[in-house]
Amino acid sequence: MKRKTARKPSTFFPRKRLGQHFLIDKNAMEKIVRVADLDPADVILEIGPGRGEMTMLLAQKSQRVMAVEIDRVLASQLVDKTASLRNVEVICGDALKVDLEAMSRHTEKRMKVVANLPYQISTPLLMRLVSFRCLFSSMVLMLQKEVALRAVAKRNTKAYGSLSVLLQVYTTPTIEMLLPPNCFFPRPKVDSALVRFLVHKTPKIKIDDEQALWRVVRAAFGHRRKTLKNALKSILPEARFSEEVGRAMENVKIDPTRRAETLSLEEFARLTDGLRPYLSSLGSGS
Ligand code: SAM
């Protein structure tokens, strides 16, 4: 397919620090909008609209676009560019800090997130979006390919880790498209992938204590080559560990000699249930 290419910015110097790699492949932009599956009642949160080319496409298909851009120059250019559109609101701010709940007040429906993310903050942004998941029905995100592979990774693979578990407990992620560096200007050093996350209203597994689950998952993958018994030592009081905790794991039918990457979501939930009495005796911990 012939690639339609947008004009490269001539008067603006992209800021690497802000992950400014603008999408210049028009076919990819159109595909992103198709994957977002918009209807006229949708309210969209766009993170990092940059020069606003996708913002314009999104505005044609939805009720409202709220575009959060940290770069003041780009944000003010986008305000001018969208002055004639009544359904675009440009918010100059940090997507890691903006008040997402206040934004959601514009709609009864859950919002849709669409973004070509600044890759250097994609993991904390993903964490933040997931922590506000009740506000969103889907997220269509451009990510560094390696992060996308971690998002969709299945157990018993190298890419399966705490990010896979976190995302897959609350969403169903699918890779929709791979993009080489020449789809962007300036070219990033890495390949990219578009991922659609369908956000679930309730988690895929039963979670009694969310904080405990994340402590167990992080600790288990913190030393992924170690057995669970050894990897989890960092969050279990040493003195009481060995036999008692080993028995607790066996009680929930998790072999303590397994490694984190072999556990399914449901097994992580069970493991957490088995270890909770020991975790609760700790303070903050890792
Ligand atoms: N959406 C545009 C496109 O596809 O061409 C630009 C994407 S560029 C990869 C990332 C954009 O996110 C840049 O415009 C950058 O200034 C902005 N950005 C970086 N960090 C941000 C943050 N913390 N909050 C909001 N925007 C951010």
Side-chain angles (χ1 to χ4, degrees):
M1 189 168 34
K2 191 168 176 290
R3 291 200 182 279
K4 291 180 261 173
T5 304
R7 209 159 45 85
K8 291 177 183 173
S10 51
T11 52
F12 180 80
F13 296 99
R15 293 160 79 182
K16 238 185 178 175
R17 189 176 61 79
L18 295 179
Q20 291 179 347
H21 297 280
F22 302 103
L23 188 60
I24 54 171
D25 185 311
K26 291 274 188 194
N27 291 323
M29 278 181 219
E30 284 161 13
K31 166 104 187 200
I32 293 172
V33 176
R34 271 201 310 280
V35 169
D37 191 22
L38 303 175
D39 81 49
D42 282 329
V43 172
I44 296 166
L45 166 65
E46 188 189 10
I47 297 171
R51 298 184 301 150
E53 308 218 351
M54 209 151 68
T55 316
M56 308 297 250
L57 296 179
L58 295 170
Q60 286 167 17
K61 302 260 177 189
S62 62
Q63 188 203 124
R64 188 182 182 90
V65 181
M66 281 179 289
V68 180
E69 173 57 61
I70 202 169
D71 186 310
R72 283 169 186 234
V73 176
L74 287 177
S76 92
Q77 284 174 357
L78 190 55
V79 169
D80 294 343
K81 212 183 255 180
T82 56
S84 62
L85 302 176
R86 301 180 65 153
N87 65 339
V88 176
E89 184 182 343
V90 181
I91 297 137
C92 184
D94 183 345
L96 288 170
K97 295 187 185 145
V98 286
D99 187 345
L100 297 172
E101 266 159 358
M103 289 183 186
S104 75
R105 286 185 203 125
H106 292 286
T107 174
E108 303 271 283
K109 278 178 87 180
R110 291 185 296 158
M111 295 189 283
K112 290 183 173 170
V113 185
V114 181
N116 172 15
L117 288 184
Y119 294 165
Q120 78 284 6
I121 54 162
S122 55
T123 303
L125 261 174
L126 280 167
M127 305 287 215
R128 181 153 204 249
L129 292 172
V130 165
S131 70
F132 283 94
R133 61 194 169 272
C134 51
L135 305 180
F136 310 120
S137 60
S138 69
M139 311 190 288
V140 174
L141 306 176
M142 187 74 73
L143 297 168
Q144 182 177 336
K145 186 177 161 193
E146 285 68 26
V147 177
L149 293 175
R150 282 162 57 202
V152 301
K154 298 284 172 245
R155 67 178 166 143
N156 293 315
T157 63
K158 228 170 127 184
Y160 186 64
S162 50
L163 188 68
S164 327
V165 176
L166 171 77
L167 292 170
Q168 291 172 31
V169 162
Y170 301 111
T171 76
T172 299
T174 44
I175 293 187
E176 299 285 342
M177 165 170 66
L178 296 178
L179 289 94
N182 65 4
C183 290
F184 303 86
F185 176 83
R187 293 181 184 196
K189 290 199 175 96
V190 293
D191 286 330
S192 302
L194 183 73
V195 184
R196 175 164 199 256
F197 297 88
L198 191 66
V199 183
H200 302 297
K201 280 193 173 149
T202 47
K204 276 189 224 149
I205 50 174
K206 187 174 156 289
I207 304 175
D208 292 327
D209 181 341
E210 210 159 318
Q211 265 196 331
L213 175 71
W214 298 124
R215 283 176 67 192
V216 168
V217 170
R218 283 204 197 96
F221 283 108
H223 305 275
R224 54 186 301 140
R225 301 180 73 86
K226 290 187 181 172
T227 60
L228 287 172
K229 188 172 70 176
N230 288 327
L232 293 171
K233 270 185 184 166
S234 63
I235 54 163
L236 298 168
E238 190 92 26
R240 301 172 60 187
F241 183 69
S242 48
E243 283 170 28
E244 204 178 343
V245 174
R247 261 202 308 280
M249 287 191 196
E250 275 158 11
N251 282 345
V252 288
K253 305 211 166 12
I254 304 289
D255 178 348
T257 64
R258 285 173 67 182
R259 291 188 167 77
E261 68 192 35
T262 68
L263 263 64
S264 65
L265 305 184
E266 195 273 331
E267 286 176 318
F268 270 116
R270 251 177 30 225
L271 177 64
T272 308
D273 279 347
L275 296 182
R276 258 168 75 199
Y278 305 94
L279 291 167
S280 57
S281 65
L282 280 182
S284 50
S286 50

